[in-house]
Amino acid sequence: MKKLRFSKGFTLIELLVVVAIISILSSVVLASLNTARAKGRDAKRMSDLHNISLALELYYDKYGTYQVAGTGWGSNGGGGGCGCGWAGYEDAGAYGKSITRGLQEAGFLGAPRIDDPIQNPGYMLYWCEAGQSYALSATKENPTAGDI
């Protein structure tokens, strides 16, 4: 009588099936992780806008205007800056001092430069009615209907 011989181990097909299943599962996990990262950056944007808004309200209570003196667009040009424009942007050109740096130097904000986690510049400050009202804007990665 002939003995059957069985070898221990896995066949090539079994190994390929396991590799395919692992790759599918890892792609699902990575897709979820990217969505979670985008939501985290959006939460940071909303928190940053809230902090800038609180600092602007404190500035308004003290000075009677939302125009942060000597900051924003035109702050390198001797005119002192309009106190509007990109909130956290500074350069050697028209944006000599950021609005957030001006708020920090005045004691209303903890960090000198607050800006978008991906885009730089990212947050924009608009003021109206001779500095008596303002609007802050940011671009979210996953906006909802309530954000628009």
Side-chain angles (χ1 to χ4, degrees):
M1 182 160 170
K2 192 173 184 186
K3 277 187 164 182
L4 292 177
R5 195 169 173 196
F6 294 102
S7 64
K8 294 181 181 180
F10 299 105
T11 65
L12 182 59
I13 299 294
E14 290 171 331
L15 291 174
L16 288 175
V17 167
V18 169
V19 168
I21 290 171
I22 290 172
S23 64
I24 290 170
L25 290 174
S26 65
S27 66
V28 169
V29 168
L30 288 176
S32 299
L33 185 62
N34 286 337
T35 302
R37 286 180 182 159
K39 286 181 181 179
R41 287 188 297 267
D42 284 346
K44 183 188 182 314
R45 288 179 182 101
M46 296 307 292
S47 174
D48 287 349
L49 292 183
H50 178 73
N51 290 337
I52 294 169
S53 180
L54 286 175
L56 284 168
E57 292 299 330
L58 292 170
Y59 189 90
Y60 183 83
D61 284 344
K62 185 170 183 178
Y63 297 106
T65 183
Y66 291 110
Q67 288 180 263
V68 182
T71 66
W73 186 82
S75 56
N76 259 2
C82 69
C84 61
W86 299 110
Y89 184 66
E90 295 176 334
D91 67 4
Y95 284 90
K97 182 193 255 185
S98 71
I99 297 164
T100 56
R101 185 175 299 279
L103 289 169
Q104 188 259 345
E105 289 175 356
F108 301 114
L109 200 58
R113 292 195 54 212
I114 297 175
D115 215 341
D116 191 274
I118 293 181
Q119 302 176 40
N120 187 8
Y123 305 143
M124 178 66 86
L125 172 66
Y126 307 92
W127 54 263
C128 308
E129 301 169 8
Q132 298 303 302
S133 64
Y134 70 94
L136 279 169
S137 70
T139 303
K140 290 179 75 177
E141 293 176 62
N142 296 314
T144 62
D147 295 329
I148 298 174

